[in-house]
Amino acid sequence: MNIRFLETVIWLAELRNFRITAERMNMTPAAISNRVSAMEQELGFRIFDRDARDVRLTEEGAHFVTGARDIVSRYNALLQDLGPKDELEGTVRIGVLPSMALVVLRGIMETLRERSPRLRVSVSTDSSSVLLQRLENRELDIILGFPGPNMSKLNVSDLCDLSMFWVSSPALLQGAPNQPMGRSDLLRYPIISYERGTYNHGKLLAYLGGLDAQSAVLHYSNSLSTTISMIANGLGIAVLPPIVIQNELRSGALHVLNVQPAFPVTRYSVVYLEAASSRLCSLIASIARDVVGKVCTLYDRSLIQQIEAY
Protein backbone atom coordinates (compact mmCIF):
# COMPACT_ATOMS: atom_id res chain seq x y z
CA MET A 1 0.00 0.00 0.00
CA ASN A 2 1.39 3.39 -1.03
CA ILE A 3 0.26 6.88 -2.04
CA ARG A 4 -0.63 5.80 -5.59
CA PHE A 5 -2.79 3.00 -4.23
CA LEU A 6 -4.55 5.46 -1.91
CA GLU A 7 -5.11 7.84 -4.82
CA THR A 8 -6.64 4.97 -6.76
CA VAL A 9 -9.32 4.23 -4.18
CA ILE A 10 -10.03 7.97 -3.74
CA TRP A 11 -10.63 8.43 -7.45
CA LEU A 12 -12.67 5.24 -7.70
CA ALA A 13 -14.81 6.41 -4.77
CA GLU A 14 -15.35 9.71 -6.61
CA LEU A 15 -15.97 8.38 -10.10
CA ARG A 16 -17.61 5.02 -9.19
CA ASN A 17 -16.48 3.46 -12.46
CA PHE A 18 -13.37 1.40 -13.22
CA ARG A 19 -13.10 2.55 -16.84
CA ILE A 20 -13.42 6.28 -16.07
CA THR A 21 -11.02 5.96 -13.14
CA ALA A 22 -8.52 4.17 -15.39
CA GLU A 23 -8.75 6.97 -17.96
CA ARG A 24 -8.26 9.60 -15.27
CA MET A 25 -5.15 7.84 -13.93
CA ASN A 26 -3.76 6.76 -17.32
CA MET A 27 -4.03 3.09 -16.40
CA THR A 28 -6.03 0.10 -17.53
CA PRO A 29 -9.23 -0.98 -15.75
CA ALA A 30 -7.52 -4.28 -14.93
CA ALA A 31 -4.67 -2.45 -13.20
CA ILE A 32 -7.17 -0.43 -11.15
CA SER A 33 -8.99 -3.62 -10.16
CA ASN A 34 -5.72 -5.30 -9.18
CA ARG A 35 -4.73 -2.39 -6.95
CA VAL A 36 -8.08 -2.40 -5.19
CA SER A 37 -7.99 -6.16 -4.71
CA ALA A 38 -4.47 -5.99 -3.29
CA MET A 39 -5.50 -3.30 -0.82
CA GLU A 40 -8.62 -5.20 0.24
CA GLN A 41 -6.54 -8.30 0.83
CA GLU A 42 -4.06 -6.35 2.94
CA LEU A 43 -6.79 -4.58 4.92
CA GLY A 44 -8.92 -7.64 5.47
CA PHE A 45 -12.21 -6.04 4.35
CA ARG A 46 -13.89 -4.95 1.15
CA ILE A 47 -13.52 -1.28 0.27
CA PHE A 48 -16.09 -1.41 -2.53
CA ASP A 49 -19.19 -3.34 -3.44
CA ARG A 50 -19.21 -3.87 -7.18
CA ASP A 51 -21.82 -4.89 -9.72
CA ALA A 52 -22.08 -4.65 -13.49
CA ARG A 53 -23.12 -0.99 -13.43
CA ASP A 54 -21.81 0.66 -10.31
CA VAL A 55 -19.10 0.76 -7.67
CA ARG A 56 -20.13 1.71 -4.14
CA LEU A 57 -18.16 2.17 -0.94
CA THR A 58 -18.82 -0.24 1.87
CA GLU A 59 -19.23 1.18 5.37
CA GLU A 60 -15.64 0.25 6.19
CA GLY A 61 -14.53 1.56 2.79
CA ALA A 62 -16.09 4.97 3.38
CA HIS A 63 -14.21 5.27 6.67
CA PHE A 64 -10.98 4.15 4.99
CA VAL A 65 -11.32 6.63 2.10
CA THR A 66 -11.84 9.48 4.56
CA GLY A 67 -8.51 8.63 6.16
CA ALA A 68 -6.89 8.12 2.75
CA ARG A 69 -7.91 11.64 1.69
CA ASP A 70 -6.26 13.07 4.78
CA ILE A 71 -3.04 11.11 4.17
CA VAL A 72 -2.83 12.14 0.50
CA SER A 73 -3.63 15.76 1.32
CA ARG A 74 -0.87 15.88 3.94
CA TYR A 75 1.56 14.17 1.57
CA ASN A 76 0.85 16.70 -1.20
CA ALA A 77 1.17 19.59 1.23
CA LEU A 78 4.54 18.23 2.40
CA LEU A 79 5.80 17.95 -1.18
CA GLN A 80 4.66 21.48 -1.90
CA ASP A 81 6.42 22.85 1.17
CA LEU A 82 9.68 20.94 0.74
CA GLY A 83 9.97 20.17 -2.95
CA PRO A 84 11.61 22.47 -5.52
CA LYS A 85 8.91 24.73 -6.91
CA ASP A 86 10.15 24.65 -10.46
CA GLU A 87 9.79 20.89 -10.77
CA LEU A 88 6.01 21.07 -11.10
CA GLU A 89 4.96 20.07 -14.60
CA GLY A 90 1.79 19.15 -16.41
CA THR A 91 -1.37 21.17 -16.91
CA VAL A 92 -3.64 22.80 -14.36
CA ARG A 93 -7.15 23.73 -15.55
CA ILE A 94 -8.48 26.86 -13.85
CA GLY A 95 -12.03 28.16 -14.09
CA VAL A 96 -12.41 31.85 -13.28
CA LEU A 97 -15.39 34.17 -13.11
CA PRO A 98 -14.81 37.15 -15.45
CA SER A 99 -14.77 39.66 -12.58
CA MET A 100 -12.24 37.61 -10.63
CA ALA A 101 -10.13 37.10 -13.76
CA LEU A 102 -9.66 40.87 -14.00
CA VAL A 103 -8.50 40.97 -10.38
CA VAL A 104 -6.11 38.03 -10.00
CA LEU A 105 -5.42 36.22 -13.27
CA ARG A 106 -2.45 38.31 -14.35
CA GLY A 107 -0.79 37.95 -10.95
CA ILE A 108 -1.37 34.19 -10.88
CA MET A 109 0.13 33.71 -14.34
CA GLU A 110 3.17 35.85 -13.54
CA THR A 111 3.79 33.98 -10.28
CA LEU A 112 3.50 30.59 -11.97
CA ARG A 113 5.89 31.69 -14.71
CA GLU A 114 8.46 32.55 -12.04
CA ARG A 115 7.92 29.57 -9.72
CA SER A 116 6.91 26.76 -12.08
CA PRO A 117 7.90 27.70 -15.64
CA ARG A 118 7.16 24.21 -16.98
CA LEU A 119 3.62 24.18 -15.65
CA ARG A 120 0.99 24.74 -18.33
CA VAL A 121 -2.24 26.58 -17.51
CA SER A 122 -5.63 26.21 -19.19
CA VAL A 123 -8.00 29.05 -18.26
CA SER A 124 -11.78 29.04 -18.72
CA THR A 125 -14.09 31.95 -17.91
CA ASP A 126 -17.82 31.42 -17.59
CA SER A 127 -20.74 31.74 -15.21
CA SER A 128 -20.51 30.17 -11.78
CA SER A 129 -23.00 27.39 -12.54
CA VAL A 130 -21.14 26.35 -15.69
CA LEU A 131 -17.76 26.38 -13.94
CA LEU A 132 -19.11 24.29 -11.05
CA GLN A 133 -20.61 21.75 -13.44
CA ARG A 134 -17.32 21.49 -15.30
CA LEU A 135 -15.52 21.05 -11.97
CA GLU A 136 -17.88 18.22 -11.00
CA ASN A 137 -17.32 16.65 -14.43
CA ARG A 138 -13.53 16.78 -13.81
CA GLU A 139 -13.08 19.12 -16.77
CA LEU A 140 -11.56 21.73 -14.43
CA ASP A 141 -9.19 21.28 -11.51
CA ILE A 142 -9.99 24.42 -9.54
CA ILE A 143 -12.25 27.46 -9.83
CA LEU A 144 -12.08 31.00 -8.46
CA GLY A 145 -15.67 31.98 -7.94
CA PHE A 146 -18.62 30.79 -5.87
CA PRO A 147 -19.28 27.41 -4.25
CA GLY A 148 -22.48 25.62 -5.18
CA PRO A 149 -25.30 24.45 -2.91
CA ASN A 150 -23.83 20.94 -2.62
CA MET A 151 -20.47 21.31 -0.87
CA SER A 152 -20.06 17.74 0.38
CA LYS A 153 -17.26 16.92 -2.09
CA LEU A 154 -15.77 20.39 -2.37
CA ASN A 155 -12.78 21.98 -0.71
CA VAL A 156 -13.86 25.61 -0.26
CA SER A 157 -11.86 28.47 1.22
CA ASP A 158 -12.79 32.15 1.19
CA LEU A 159 -10.65 34.40 -0.99
CA CYS A 160 -11.91 37.99 -0.90
CA ASP A 161 -14.90 40.30 -0.75
CA LEU A 162 -15.59 42.66 -3.64
CA SER A 163 -17.84 45.63 -2.97
CA MET A 164 -20.74 46.11 -5.39
CA PHE A 165 -22.05 49.51 -6.53
CA TRP A 166 -24.72 50.68 -8.92
CA VAL A 167 -23.12 52.32 -11.95
CA SER A 168 -24.41 54.24 -14.95
CA SER A 169 -23.38 56.34 -17.88
CA PRO A 170 -23.33 60.03 -16.82
CA ALA A 171 -25.61 60.83 -19.77
CA LEU A 172 -28.32 58.58 -18.35
CA LEU A 173 -28.40 60.48 -15.04
CA GLN A 174 -29.94 63.59 -16.64
CA GLY A 175 -27.73 66.10 -14.86
CA ALA A 176 -28.01 64.74 -11.32
CA PRO A 177 -25.07 62.33 -10.97
CA ASN A 178 -24.76 62.53 -7.16
CA GLN A 179 -28.41 62.70 -6.23
CA PRO A 180 -29.28 60.26 -3.41
CA MET A 181 -31.36 57.34 -4.64
CA GLY A 182 -33.31 54.55 -3.01
CA ARG A 183 -34.04 51.11 -4.36
CA SER A 184 -37.37 52.21 -5.83
CA ASP A 185 -35.60 54.95 -7.81
CA LEU A 186 -33.59 52.30 -9.63
CA LEU A 187 -36.75 51.02 -11.30
CA ARG A 188 -36.94 54.22 -13.37
CA TYR A 189 -34.04 52.94 -15.44
CA PRO A 190 -33.49 49.76 -17.47
CA ILE A 191 -31.46 47.36 -15.33
CA ILE A 192 -28.81 45.18 -16.92
CA SER A 193 -28.85 42.04 -14.82
CA TYR A 194 -26.52 39.11 -14.53
CA GLU A 195 -27.58 35.98 -16.38
CA ARG A 196 -30.65 34.24 -14.98
CA GLY A 197 -29.85 31.61 -12.38
CA THR A 198 -26.43 33.00 -11.51
CA TYR A 199 -25.33 33.82 -7.97
CA ASN A 200 -25.39 37.60 -8.43
CA HIS A 201 -28.70 37.48 -10.30
CA GLY A 202 -30.17 35.88 -7.19
CA LYS A 203 -28.62 38.61 -5.04
CA LEU A 204 -30.10 41.27 -7.32
CA LEU A 205 -33.60 39.79 -7.03
CA ALA A 206 -33.22 39.60 -3.24
CA TYR A 207 -32.05 43.23 -3.14
CA LEU A 208 -35.08 44.36 -5.15
CA GLY A 209 -37.41 42.13 -3.14
CA GLY A 210 -40.50 43.87 -1.80
CA LEU A 211 -40.52 46.36 -4.68
CA ASP A 212 -42.69 46.20 -7.75
CA ALA A 213 -39.87 44.50 -9.62
CA GLN A 214 -42.35 43.24 -12.22
CA SER A 215 -42.58 46.78 -13.54
CA ALA A 216 -38.82 47.03 -13.98
CA VAL A 217 -37.21 46.64 -17.38
CA LEU A 218 -34.52 43.98 -16.91
CA HIS A 219 -32.01 43.10 -19.59
CA TYR A 220 -29.72 40.09 -19.14
CA SER A 221 -26.06 39.68 -20.03
CA ASN A 222 -23.72 36.74 -19.50
CA SER A 223 -20.64 38.76 -20.46
CA LEU A 224 -18.94 41.29 -18.19
CA SER A 225 -17.42 43.19 -21.12
CA THR A 226 -20.81 43.34 -22.85
CA THR A 227 -22.47 44.62 -19.68
CA ILE A 228 -19.85 47.35 -19.29
CA SER A 229 -20.32 48.37 -22.94
CA MET A 230 -24.11 48.48 -22.57
CA ILE A 231 -23.87 50.72 -19.50
CA ALA A 232 -21.33 53.03 -21.13
CA ASN A 233 -23.66 53.43 -24.10
CA GLY A 234 -26.52 54.50 -21.86
CA LEU A 235 -28.60 51.37 -22.30
CA GLY A 236 -29.19 50.89 -18.59
CA ILE A 237 -27.70 50.69 -15.11
CA ALA A 238 -26.09 47.71 -13.40
CA VAL A 239 -24.49 46.68 -10.13
CA LEU A 240 -20.80 45.83 -10.54
CA PRO A 241 -17.59 45.60 -8.49
CA PRO A 242 -15.93 49.02 -9.04
CA ILE A 243 -12.51 47.37 -8.91
CA VAL A 244 -13.12 45.83 -12.36
CA ILE A 245 -14.12 49.13 -14.01
CA GLN A 246 -11.40 51.44 -12.68
CA ASN A 247 -10.45 52.66 -16.18
CA GLU A 248 -14.05 53.51 -17.05
CA LEU A 249 -14.54 55.34 -13.76
CA ARG A 250 -11.34 57.36 -14.15
CA SER A 251 -12.20 58.33 -17.73
CA GLY A 252 -15.74 59.33 -16.78
CA ALA A 253 -17.37 56.75 -19.06
CA LEU A 254 -19.12 55.27 -16.00
CA HIS A 255 -20.28 56.85 -12.78
CA VAL A 256 -21.11 55.35 -9.38
CA LEU A 257 -24.65 56.05 -8.23
CA ASN A 258 -25.41 57.20 -4.69
CA VAL A 259 -27.84 54.43 -3.76
CA GLN A 260 -28.97 53.40 -0.28
CA PRO A 261 -29.12 50.81 1.08
CA ALA A 262 -25.83 49.60 -0.33
CA PHE A 263 -25.76 46.43 -2.38
CA PRO A 264 -24.24 43.51 -0.39
CA VAL A 265 -20.60 42.64 -1.02
CA THR A 266 -19.83 39.57 -3.10
CA ARG A 267 -17.60 36.96 -1.50
CA TYR A 268 -15.36 34.94 -3.81
CA SER A 269 -13.85 31.58 -2.93
CA VAL A 270 -11.31 29.04 -4.10
CA VAL A 271 -13.12 25.79 -4.88
CA TYR A 272 -11.78 22.39 -5.87
CA LEU A 273 -12.78 18.76 -5.40
CA GLU A 274 -11.57 16.85 -2.39
CA ALA A 275 -9.81 14.31 -4.57
CA ALA A 276 -6.33 12.96 -5.08
CA SER A 277 -4.93 15.59 -7.45
CA SER A 278 -4.87 18.40 -4.93
CA ARG A 279 -1.17 19.35 -5.04
CA LEU A 280 -1.60 21.72 -7.99
CA CYS A 281 -4.93 22.91 -6.61
CA SER A 282 -3.44 23.85 -3.26
CA LEU A 283 -0.61 25.62 -5.09
CA ILE A 284 -3.03 27.71 -7.17
CA ALA A 285 -5.12 28.44 -4.07
CA SER A 286 -2.03 29.65 -2.19
CA ILE A 287 -0.90 31.83 -5.10
CA ALA A 288 -4.39 33.30 -5.53
CA ARG A 289 -4.42 34.35 -1.88
CA ASP A 290 -0.97 35.93 -2.23
CA VAL A 291 -2.08 37.82 -5.34
CA VAL A 292 -5.27 39.05 -3.66
CA GLY A 293 -3.18 40.26 -0.73
CA LYS A 294 -1.03 42.33 -3.09
CA VAL A 295 -4.06 43.70 -4.94
CA CYS A 296 -5.63 44.74 -1.65
CA THR A 297 -2.65 47.00 -0.96
CA LEU A 298 -3.42 48.96 -4.15
CA TYR A 299 -7.05 49.77 -3.38
CA ASP A 300 -9.14 51.04 -0.52
CA ARG A 301 -10.68 48.37 1.71
CA SER A 302 -14.10 49.62 0.62
CA LEU A 303 -13.43 48.10 -2.81
CA ILE A 304 -11.69 44.81 -2.00
CA GLN A 305 -10.97 43.08 1.26
CA GLN A 306 -9.04 39.87 1.73
CA ILE A 307 -10.59 37.25 3.99
CA GLU A 308 -8.09 36.77 6.80
CA ALA A 309 -9.36 33.48 8.24
CA TYR A 310 -9.05 30.58 5.80
Side-chain angles (χ1 to χ4, degrees):
M1 191 183 303
N2 55 40
I3 291 294
R4 297 304 179 198
F5 277 50
L6 295 179
E7 290 177 339
T8 301
V9 297
I10 293 171
W11 277 116
L12 186 56
E14 290 280 346
L15 302 176
R16 300 176 61 172
N17 183 285
F18 279 94
R19 179 185 59 80
I20 298 176
T21 301
E23 291 175 355
R24 180 63 180 80
M25 301 192 70
N26 295 317
M27 298 172 60
T28 65
I32 297 293
S33 180
N34 289 338
R35 280 189 178 182
V36 173
S37 297
M39 293 185 69
E40 290 178 332
Q41 183 175 358
E42 181 175 345
L43 292 168
F45 58 79
R46 293 184 67 82
I47 304 174
F48 299 97
D49 285 328
R50 318 158 175 67
D51 58 34
R53 296 184 178 181
D54 200 8
V55 178
R56 299 176 304 279
L57 284 168
T58 64
E59 183 177 350
E60 296 90 347
H63 183 70
F64 177 77
V65 169
T66 297
R69 291 185 194 279
D70 181 62
I71 293 172
V72 172
S73 176
R74 291 172 181 270
Y75 173 76
N76 288 331
L78 181 63
L79 290 183
Q80 181 177 321
D81 289 341
L82 301 180
K85 305 300 181 183
D86 60 357
E87 288 189 1
L88 286 177
E89 298 186 17
T91 300
V92 61
R93 303 164 300 176
I94 308 175
V96 194
L97 290 177
S99 51
M100 187 51 45
L102 293 175
V103 175
V104 301
L105 189 55
R106 176 181 176 180
I108 289 175
M109 297 297 293
E110 290 177 347
T111 302
L112 286 175
R113 182 175 59 192
E114 295 173 359
R115 293 174 53 178
S116 303
R118 297 184 61 82
L119 183 65
R120 296 181 293 273
V121 179
S122 173
V123 178
S124 300
T125 57
D126 215 313
S127 66
S128 179
S129 58
V130 172
L131 294 179
L132 281 169
Q133 186 61 55
R134 294 190 63 190
L135 181 69
E136 293 177 1
N137 293 341
R138 278 72 180 178
E139 297 170 5
L140 294 173
D141 298 308
I142 185 171
I143 64 175
L144 306 179
F146 311 130
N150 181 13
M151 299 172 56
S152 58
K153 296 182 180 180
L154 300 179
N155 188 313
V156 180
S157 58
D158 294 329
L159 183 59
C160 66
D161 287 341
L162 294 188
S163 298
M164 306 285 288
F165 290 89
W166 289 95
V167 295
S168 165
S169 164
L172 194 64
L173 303 181
Q174 300 178 346
N178 298 313
Q179 180 179 350
M181 300 173 63
R183 286 181 296 180
S184 59
D185 297 319
L186 299 172
L187 303 185
R188 302 201 306 261
Y189 304 93
I191 296 175
I192 303 170
S193 169
Y194 293 85
E195 187 178 10
R196 293 177 186 267
T198 59
Y199 175 77
N200 273 329
H201 175 251
K203 288 182 61 179
L204 174 61
L205 295 181
Y207 179 83
L208 296 175
L211 302 176
D212 184 17
Q214 295 297 324
S215 65
V217 177
L218 261 67
H219 304 306
Y220 298 92
S221 170
N222 66 352
S223 166
L224 179 61
S225 60
T226 299
T227 297
I228 294 172
S229 176
M230 292 175 69
I231 306 169
N233 284 287
L235 301 180
I237 63 176
V239 62
L240 293 173
I243 194 171
V244 306
I245 52 171
Q246 290 294 297
N247 291 336
E248 290 80 5
L249 293 174
R250 293 190 184 102
S251 69
L254 296 180
H255 184 88
V256 173
L257 302 180
N258 182 15
V259 182
Q260 293 296 328
F263 197 88
V265 301
T266 295
R267 175 158 294 184
Y268 291 80
S269 301
V270 179
V271 185
Y272 56 93
L273 293 172
E274 289 186 334
S277 58
S278 61
R279 185 184 181 193
L280 287 177
C281 294
S282 59
L283 172 66
I284 299 300
S286 175
I287 291 174
R289 295 187 190 103
D290 290 342
V291 171
V292 165
K294 294 176 182 177
V295 172
C296 287
T297 64
L298 304 177
Y299 296 94
D300 189 270
R301 288 174 64 88
S302 63
L303 298 184
I304 177 172
Q305 185 171 349
Q306 187 172 25
I307 309 302
E308 301 296 341
Y310 302 126

